[in-house]
Amino acid sequence: MKIVIVGGVAGGATAAARIRRLDEQAEIIVFERSGYISYANCGLPYYIGDVISDPEELTLQTPESFFSRFRVIMKVHHEVTAIHPDKKCVSVKNLETGETFEEDYDKLILSPGARPARPKVSGTGSDKVFTLRTVEDTFFLKEYINKHHPRSAVLAGGGFISLELAENLRELGLEVTIVQRPRQLMNPFDPDMAAFIHAKMRRHGVKLLLGRTVEGFGESTNGVDVFLKDEAPLHADMVVLAIGVTPDTHLAKEAGLKLGIKESIAVNDRMETSVPDIYAVGDAVQVKHYVTAQDTLISLAGPANRQGRIAADNICGIDSRYTGSQGSSIIKVFGMTAAVTGVNESNARKAGLCVDKVILSPMNHAGYYPGGKLMTMKVVFEKETFRLLGAQIVGYDGVDKRIDVLAAAIHAELKATGLKSLDLSYAPPYSSAKDPVNMAGFMIDNIEKGILKQWFLDDLNNLPNDGSVTLLDVRTTGEYRSGHIEGFQNIPVDELRKRLDEVKKGKPVYVICQSGLRSYIACRILAGNGYDAYNFAGGFRFYDAVTNDRCLTESASACGMDR
């Protein structure tokens, strides 16, 4: 059996190695148009910032090492220019010599990946406007920085690559501005959780121009002008386009393969395309979202690797199925960690799901053990069924552990209330006896039982100011003085029982504290004394972060805080 693979890196290289492990006799040829068959895409920004200093560290395998171990022929600088399903062959061009030839196959795997999206505006061809997708891109950008010593950079786009590159450029001493059409960075996160990412970026000197549209670039003798819609242009020494990626599927389209959203390659759960004996994997393929079951594109290394393995299994006679992509991902932001899995609240609502959520701010480990830090967790679930839909966490140590536990729980189709019963490891340096994941489960369990009733930030502007409700802040007097929401009276939780006469009965009570814990205790005190009490999800800390971010992103008039 002869297998031809178009593209290496995650999906293609994984498929090649898996086929060899399953079939020692198969003839396997990989065509890769770049000079690298397996490299660490996610490490590229850290080479720019000198965190990874040796360029060889970016290369996971060379053609020689891959052949030595797997007897797979890796032909770099070879571009497949056409697929001929009727003849079961591909046309190939040697980019070094210009030679063209045809290569026949029994099975074909397409792993072309995705290419950086380029806005359809003027000036993108300037040699001071870069993209960052391949090792060659990285070396080109690094060489420019080392040679010209730029002092400023504009990054167009606010996804993973942009944030990682912004951090590394700041570490090199550059002034960095991120311009993004949406009003938030990191679209996998909800806007309220992205607020914490925005704050961290701003604290480290990254300028954020959110809700702005780039209309073009103009090269000048001393840099690049970035033209913005309805605003004065920006000026920088260099620009990096990081507005996302587009499936690189022109070969599949020309060969008549069925395409999906954004012209991605449509595949079934065996990674088979619409044409017999042709498979496709990686960033170029359309997948089902594991939570919503909707068609989607998710460009991540983990799914690409799994898809490569599944295609290889099926080629070698093993029935293997791809169950969908969950979008689990994580990013370092100047020492902070932000992670997400499943579907966020915004996208869940767009998918037509009826959702609820809990927001909490637990410590990463036991409070009495030195060095503990807060994390902010948002767990989204379906009302009525309590199906676990997704989670977002922003914090420091321990974020990766919790997001992976939640990712596993979603994949196992655990109900959100079931999080309370997970038997998770505990020692003071690592966790608490009530792990943050368990705490989320306790809260959701209380919601199911009617013990916890919540109100949210979006409810604030709709609360009547005619005296028909009571607004209560149960933090200490000092906390209240340092900042509070206008209209909330202050009764510290430890004084509440003896001051209940100050809270009129017969009116709903909307309660807030710093993190949500003391206000929950206050709600139980109130409920036990005949009040209808609602706890603010996330606490004043959450309110403060989100409203401050809205003020900075939109205008100061958006603030409703008395300071």
Side-chain angles (χ1 to χ4, degrees):
M1 180 168 58
K2 182 177 180 180
I3 300 99
V4 169
I5 301 175
V6 181
V9 197
T14 296
R18 176 67 171 172
I19 291 170
R20 175 58 72 225
R21 288 194 294 268
L22 297 175
D23 186 344
E24 184 65 18
Q25 307 307 317
E27 181 183 358
I28 310 168
I29 302 175
V30 178
F31 293 111
E32 169 58 48
R33 65 186 167 199
S34 76
Y36 301 88
I37 54 95
S38 182
Y39 57 87
N41 287 77
C42 301
L44 301 182
Y46 298 100
Y47 177 73
I48 299 296
D50 292 331
V51 177
I52 299 172
S53 57
D54 186 351
E56 292 187 2
E57 293 293 331
L58 298 173
T59 305
L60 305 178
Q61 290 277 2
T62 65
E64 295 76 19
S65 67
F66 214 95
F67 182 81
S68 176
R69 177 160 296 180
F70 297 109
R71 289 301 187 268
V72 170
I73 299 171
M74 290 284 186
K75 291 186 175 291
V76 297
H77 295 139
H78 280 68
E79 182 176 9
V80 173
T81 57
I83 303 168
H84 310 289
D86 53 334
K87 298 191 295 182
K88 296 191 74 171
C89 71
V90 296
S91 296
V92 186
K93 181 178 182 179
N94 184 327
L95 299 178
E96 294 179 352
T97 67
E99 173 196 6
T100 61
F101 60 93
E102 290 188 346
E103 192 77 49
D104 64 311
Y105 64 82
D106 294 311
K107 305 287 184 180
L108 177 66
I109 300 177
L110 303 179
S111 180
R115 62 183 184 276
R118 282 185 173 269
K120 295 180 180 179
V121 298
S122 62
T124 58
S126 167
D127 61 5
K128 296 174 184 176
V129 177
F130 302 86
T131 58
L132 186 62
R133 180 68 178 174
T134 67
V135 174
E136 287 91 345
D137 292 339
T138 307
F139 292 162
F140 185 50
L141 177 55
K142 184 64 173 174
E143 181 182 358
Y144 182 88
I145 292 172
N146 290 341
K147 181 178 179 180
H148 297 281
H149 306 290
R151 293 177 295 177
S152 60
V154 169
L155 310 183
F160 286 93
I161 291 294
S162 181
L163 266 65
E164 290 167 347
L165 186 57
E167 176 178 344
N168 282 279
L169 291 176
R170 283 295 296 149
E171 295 296 336
L172 292 177
L174 276 73
E175 294 182 4
V176 178
T177 301
I178 295 178
V179 182
Q180 165 91 332
R181 182 180 295 174
R183 290 186 174 272
Q184 70 166 88
L185 303 175
M186 298 297 292
N187 284 333
F189 291 79
D190 284 314
D192 50 11
M193 295 297 288
F196 293 91
I197 300 174
H198 297 170
K200 191 69 171 179
M201 298 293 284
R202 291 180 176 122
R203 279 197 294 272
H204 283 266
V206 177
K207 299 174 185 176
L208 302 182
L209 294 181
L210 306 176
R212 271 77 164 191
T213 300
V214 174
E215 293 195 320
F217 307 98
E219 187 171 343
S220 62
T221 55
N222 60 345
V224 183
D225 291 321
V226 182
F227 303 114
L228 304 179
K229 183 178 181 180
D230 300 327
E231 291 194 36
L234 302 173
H235 182 80
D237 295 328
M238 55 181 280
V239 168
V240 181
L241 301 178
I243 60 175
V245 294
T246 301
D248 192 356
T249 59
H250 68 281
L251 288 175
K253 183 178 182 180
E254 292 164 4
L257 276 64
K258 181 181 178 182
L259 302 181
I261 55 176
K262 295 184 179 179
E263 296 199 331
S264 57
I265 304 173
V267 294
N268 61 18
D269 60 358
R270 292 164 54 90
M271 308 313 299
E272 296 170 324
T273 70
S274 60
V275 174
D277 297 322
I278 300 181
Y279 297 74
V281 302
D283 295 352
V285 305
Q286 173 181 283
V287 296
K288 294 288 184 184
H289 196 287
Y290 187 80
V291 175
T292 66
Q294 293 182 337
D295 293 331
T296 189
L297 293 174
I298 295 182
S299 299
L300 294 169
N305 276 281
R306 290 193 295 277
Q307 291 160 13
R309 178 186 175 94
I310 288 167
D313 282 355
N314 286 295
I315 285 172
C316 294
I318 298 172
D319 185 21
S320 189
R321 308 278 175 160
Y322 188 67
T323 56
S325 293
Q326 201 169 301
S328 301
S329 52
I330 192 165
I331 187 171
K332 172 181 173 291
V333 185
F334 291 104
M336 189 176 77
T337 301
V340 61
T341 188
V343 64
N344 63 28
E345 180 187 3
S346 303
N347 289 335
R349 294 189 186 280
K350 289 176 184 176
L353 298 173
C354 186
V355 303
D356 203 348
K357 63 199 172 191
V358 292
I359 301 166
L360 59 158
S361 299
M363 295 284 284
N364 66 308
H365 60 58
Y368 59 83
Y369 188 86
K373 292 186 178 181
L374 288 172
M375 63 178 71
T376 302
M377 297 177 60
K378 181 176 184 178
V379 180
V380 181
F381 56 95
E382 192 172 27
K383 285 185 178 179
E384 305 301 331
T385 68
F386 288 86
R387 178 167 70 108
L388 189 58
L389 300 176
Q392 301 154 66
I393 312 177
V394 179
Y396 295 87
D397 292 343
V399 168
D400 54 343
K401 168 185 174 179
R402 275 67 187 214
I403 204 69
D404 284 344
V405 170
L406 288 160
I410 292 171
H411 188 80
E413 299 182 358
L414 188 71
K415 287 180 65 176
T417 51
L419 297 176
K420 71 181 188 298
S421 302
L422 292 177
D423 194 351
L424 304 175
S425 61
Y426 159 62
Y430 303 104
S431 184
S432 301
K434 297 177 183 177
D435 188 86
V437 174
N438 295 136
M439 291 300 299
F442 294 147
M443 293 172 67
I444 298 168
D445 183 62
N446 281 338
I447 290 172
E448 184 184 44
K449 291 179 169 60
I451 297 171
L452 171 62
K453 294 188 288 187
Q454 300 185 103
W455 68 284
F456 303 99
L457 182 55
D458 289 343
D459 298 325
L460 182 60
N461 291 334
N462 297 323
L463 292 179
N465 55 9
D466 57 1
S468 60
V469 301
T470 297
L471 308 177
L472 184 62
D473 187 325
V474 297
R475 295 176 298 154
T476 64
T477 302
E479 288 174 309
Y480 180 83
R481 285 174 179 166
S482 68
H484 61 271
I485 305 174
E486 187 176 357
F488 278 70
Q489 70 179 101
N490 179 221
I491 302 178
V493 64
D494 293 336
E495 301 175 15
L496 182 58
R497 286 185 178 89
K498 61 184 180 183
R499 295 176 60 181
L500 280 175
D501 59 331
E502 299 177 36
V503 184
K504 293 183 179 180
K505 282 195 172 182
K507 298 192 298 184
V509 185
Y510 291 83
V511 190
I512 191 171
C513 73
Q514 189 68 14
S515 68
L517 177 58
R518 284 175 288 173
S519 52
Y520 168 66
I521 294 170
C523 285
R524 297 313 304 153
I525 293 171
L526 291 165
N529 285 276
Y531 293 86
D532 184 22
Y534 297 82
N535 188 33
F536 181 73
F540 186 83
R541 173 178 172 270
F542 182 80
Y543 164 87
D544 196 24
V546 177
T547 53
N548 279 339
D549 179 63
R550 289 178 180 175
C551 290
L552 291 169
T553 301
E554 298 172 8
S555 69
S557 63
C559 290
M561 192 161 48
D562 178 20
R563 284 199 178 276

